[in-house]
Amino acid sequence: MITVQNLAIQFGKRVLYKDVNLKFTNGNIYGVIGANGAGKSTFLKAISGELEATKGSVTLGPGERLSVLSQDHFKWDNFTVLNTVLMGHTVLWDIMNERDALYAKTDFTDEDGMRVSELEEKFAELDGWNAESDAAALLSGLGIKEDLHYKLMGELSGKEKVRVMLAQALFGNPDNLLLDEPTNDLDMETVTWLEEYLSNYENTVLVVSHDRHFLDSVCTHTVDIDFGKVNLFAGNYSFWYESSQLALRQAQNQKAKAEEKRKELEEFIRRFSANVAKSKQTTSRKKMLEKLNVDDIQPSSRKYPGIIFTMEREPGNQILEVSGLRAVTDDGEVLFNDVNFNVEKGDKIVFLSRDPRAMTALFEIINGNRQANAGKFSWGVTITTAYLPVDNTSFFENDLNLVDWLSQFGEGNEVYMKSFLGRMLFSGEEVLKKANVLSGGEKMRCMIARMQLRNANCLILDTPTNHLDLESIQAFNNNLKLYKGNVLFASHDHEFIQTVANRIIELTPNGIIDKMMEYDEYISSEHIKEMRERMYNKG
């Protein structure tokens, strides 16, 4: 249990939030959401004690332990992987070290013997005899194979370190767990493992994530940080989003009677409760929606960008034909081989691979930015494309203001360009910002504005949710579901893939898997899993 009393965080004259009074209780998982810069990570740091609050206090239940997902991936480089995980339980780790040091003494005294007896008792109480096997099981669940367990952390790749850090945070079943973006750099199998692990977790968890499917799968509550306030709501992210949008529509409809509004909200709660009751989500397990007061549903003051893709012309029947494509890295590693497919009208295709470089290579090839090692492709004569690359660095290596920057990519006067920037939440003096000083999220919004100028009938998107906040991701997702043209994309956002894609193509070094099916069905199919293993391992 975590109790937050009168918490305030202020940096200079900027007040992030004040008068925060919340209690986070056992058995519940709280998803912390808010626009970029709202203070989500800062809130977790204040709870963990890493950041000293301007005012107020944070207390844990008596004798409870707090564990935090570390963001420092170099701190343990000189320790073995297994020991790094064990160090997550600081009390147990200290006992183990002190016990081992005493046993190693050459002049072992009676006093030492009494101390060792105390340590052995505590060690047993903390299930120390199973510590190494428990740590190994966590590592294996997170995709760290046994042959890595005794290697030094410094020998691991960045993605492997992320998984070890997650195992460290989970180790020892902490009473309170703080996770900041835990799904970053995890593949779909590992994310699924983590969702199942947390869904059965009976202690207190606070998690910051931009992964809506993950938040929906594990969270019982939503903590919304918005315009200097921290509010707690029952339900997962989708419930918070849909209910706040409903409340906003009601607020805008001044003619609706109060009683009609109340009935509509009550019906919404009943419908949503019935839907989640059929799922395996933690939300249904806790039955929190049944206790929700209609008055708790309020419109959000969050702003959503206007991401609206339109087509200048209807595409013909020939979209894209790909034949025998092969891509190899500079050091000879095969990214994909013998790639053959035709894009049909209406296809919205997600491209998958265990190596994300494969999707980027494919997109760069079909956009004419990279030469294939073999094969060919051809676009239909009616097709116009708009491309969102994963690396946009080269687009912002200038000091143009945003109006002039956007004007490079389309025709129109200043007012016209400002209208596209305005859709992407750049207003007033912000449109005069220099391109080379933008944040990652601002750059992505500019790139999306650039795409909208194209009025293309085929969108090519390489991990489009990178650097975007939940509001931008939601707006992007909503429009792609309605977009009438073709979409070719790669993404690590489960919800984005599930709700947009109607076709899946997985690129492997030994050909492709091409299926017309939903993403959830694809990743759960045992037949597909067997096929994937064969495609990646043969040859």
Side-chain angles (χ1 to χ4, degrees):
M1 183 176 69
I2 301 172
T3 303
V4 179
Q5 292 180 305
N6 299 320
L7 186 76
I9 302 290
Q10 182 172 346
F11 299 108
K13 293 183 179 180
R14 185 188 176 208
V15 178
L16 274 184
Y17 25 77
K18 60 181 181 179
D19 302 325
V20 180
N21 290 279
L22 297 170
K23 183 174 285 189
F24 304 109
T25 56
N26 288 355
N28 291 313
I29 300 179
Y30 302 83
V32 183
I33 65 171
N36 285 346
K40 303 182 293 294
S41 296
T42 301
F43 187 62
L44 295 194
K45 288 178 181 177
I47 289 175
S48 70
E50 181 182 344
L51 175 73
E52 186 176 350
T54 308
K55 181 184 175 185
S57 65
V58 176
T59 56
L60 307 180
E64 290 188 346
R65 185 168 71 88
L66 175 72
S67 185
V68 182
L69 175 60
S70 174
Q71 305 297 318
D72 185 348
H73 299 160
F74 303 99
K75 183 176 179 181
W76 289 272
D77 276 0
N78 295 322
F79 296 91
T80 66
V81 169
L82 193 63
N83 280 348
T84 299
V85 176
L86 294 173
M87 290 164 72
H89 194 326
T90 54
V91 176
L92 178 60
W93 179 252
D94 289 344
I95 288 171
M96 291 170 68
N97 280 338
E98 186 180 353
R99 187 189 66 159
D100 291 345
L102 287 171
Y103 279 134
K105 289 180 66 174
T106 55
D107 54 342
F108 194 84
T109 65
D110 290 343
E111 186 178 342
D112 293 332
M114 292 176 63
R115 178 58 181 163
V116 163
S117 178
E118 293 174 7
L119 292 173
E120 289 288 6
E121 186 177 349
K122 292 178 182 178
F123 182 76
E125 287 175 359
L126 295 172
D127 201 21
W129 296 111
N130 294 318
E132 289 197 8
S133 60
D134 290 346
L138 276 174
L139 287 166
S140 298
L142 288 164
I144 301 297
K145 295 180 180 178
E146 193 172 342
D147 59 351
L148 296 177
H149 292 187
Y150 293 95
K151 285 195 172 185
L152 293 179
M153 285 288 288
E155 299 178 63
L156 270 56
S157 69
K159 290 186 177 181
E160 289 168 337
K161 285 184 177 181
V162 166
R163 295 166 188 236
V164 177
M165 294 295 93
L166 188 51
Q168 183 191 67
L170 298 175
F171 176 66
N173 197 36
D175 304 288
N176 303 283
L177 180 60
L178 306 183
L179 303 174
D180 194 350
E181 296 292 355
T183 63
N184 279 3
D185 292 317
L186 300 183
D187 58 27
M188 57 187 178
E189 290 94 347
T190 311
V191 172
T192 300
W193 179 92
L194 182 60
E195 287 174 354
E196 292 175 356
Y197 184 92
L198 291 178
S199 292
N200 295 309
Y201 202 74
E202 292 300 332
N203 295 332
T204 305
V205 183
L206 272 71
V207 57
V208 172
S209 178
H210 286 89
D211 187 328
R212 295 163 299 158
H213 183 272
F214 179 74
L215 291 174
D216 281 349
S217 296
V218 304
C219 292
T220 60
H221 296 72
T222 298
V223 179
D224 180 33
I225 302 177
D226 193 8
F227 289 93
K229 294 182 179 179
V230 183
N231 294 310
L232 178 62
F233 300 95
N236 59 18
Y237 173 78
S238 286
F239 181 81
W240 171 86
Y241 173 73
E242 292 183 31
S243 63
S244 67
Q245 291 297 297
L246 173 60
L248 180 61
R249 290 193 297 272
Q250 288 191 339
Q252 293 169 341
N253 183 6
Q254 299 297 328
K255 295 180 181 179
K257 295 179 181 178
E259 186 58 32
E260 290 176 355
K261 289 183 180 181
R262 190 172 189 87
K263 285 181 180 178
E264 186 178 14
L265 289 170
E266 288 174 342
E267 175 56 31
F268 169 75
I269 293 172
R270 279 195 295 270
R271 177 169 55 82
F272 200 95
S273 298
N275 287 340
V276 297
K278 297 174 185 176
S279 76
K280 296 179 181 178
Q281 295 174 358
T282 307
T283 307
S284 63
R285 177 166 61 100
K286 300 303 177 185
K287 308 282 187 183
M288 289 305 301
L289 299 180
E290 297 173 4
K291 303 175 184 177
L292 186 64
N293 189 324
V294 172
D295 296 328
D296 291 337
I297 296 181
Q298 298 294 329
S300 170
S301 55
R302 200 96 87 253
K303 292 182 179 179
Y304 292 80
I307 300 177
I308 305 169
F309 293 109
T310 57
M311 299 188 299
E312 192 168 14
R313 66 181 295 181
E314 185 78 14
N317 291 325
Q318 184 183 351
I319 310 299
L320 173 66
E321 184 176 341
V322 172
S323 177
L325 276 191
R326 173 182 172 89
V328 180
T329 65
D330 291 339
D331 58 3
E333 188 177 353
V334 177
L335 295 174
F336 55 77
N337 188 42
D338 194 27
V339 172
N340 302 278
F341 63 86
N342 288 330
V343 178
E344 306 293 338
K345 198 171 182 179
D347 277 350
K348 294 180 178 179
I349 306 173
V350 62
F351 291 85
L352 308 176
S353 178
R354 290 181 178 174
D355 190 337
R357 295 176 300 174
M359 287 87 78
T360 296
L362 176 68
F363 295 152
E364 288 290 295
I365 289 168
I366 64 176
N367 277 282
N369 300 331
R370 172 175 174 161
Q371 190 71 33
N373 294 90
K376 59 184 180 178
F377 68 93
S378 61
W379 289 100
V381 295
T382 64
I383 304 305
T384 53
T385 62
Y387 178 37
L388 185 67
V390 67
D391 183 2
N392 57 37
T393 306
S394 62
F395 289 88
F396 297 94
E397 293 174 340
N398 58 69
D399 62 356
L400 296 174
N401 67 49
L402 297 193
V403 175
D404 292 339
W405 182 89
L406 190 59
S407 298
Q408 300 175 101
F409 308 109
E411 297 180 0
N413 59 25
E414 182 177 314
V415 173
Y416 183 69
M417 295 300 163
K418 283 183 176 179
S419 70
F420 280 89
L421 291 168
R423 287 184 194 175
M424 300 310 298
L425 305 181
F426 293 104
S427 59
E429 295 297 312
E430 286 185 319
V431 299
L432 300 179
K433 273 187 173 181
K434 301 295 184 183
N436 54 11
V437 301
L438 299 178
S439 68
E442 289 171 329
K443 287 178 181 178
M444 282 295 287
R445 285 189 277 132
C446 282
M447 292 296 288
I448 295 169
R450 169 183 173 271
M451 289 186 72
Q452 290 179 92
L453 282 174
R454 297 273 298 162
N455 293 319
N457 52 29
C458 182
L459 306 179
I460 304 168
L461 312 169
D462 194 349
T463 51
T465 59
N466 276 6
H467 302 293
L468 293 180
D469 57 22
L470 278 169
E471 291 69 51
S472 298
I473 292 172
Q474 189 75 57
F476 209 157
N477 197 164
N478 289 347
N479 185 248
L480 287 185
K481 288 190 289 187
L482 301 173
Y483 179 67
K484 300 299 183 184
N486 289 95
V487 183
L488 313 179
F489 72 106
S491 178
H492 47 66
D493 186 306
H494 187 123
E495 188 73 10
F496 208 90
I497 298 172
Q498 172 64 16
T499 56
V500 174
N502 57 19
R503 181 178 173 186
I504 296 169
I505 295 180
E506 185 155 0
L507 307 169
T508 83
N510 300 292
I512 66 170
I513 303 170
D514 188 348
K515 297 291 181 180
M516 294 288 292
M517 60 169 51
E518 289 190 344
Y519 182 59
D520 281 344
E521 182 185 356
Y522 186 86
I523 62 175
S524 63
S525 166
E526 291 300 324
H527 171 66
I528 297 292
K529 288 178 184 176
E530 292 171 5
M531 188 186 303
R532 294 175 76 229
E533 288 304 314
R534 289 197 304 270
M535 294 296 286
Y536 281 103
N537 295 323
K538 74 177 182 179

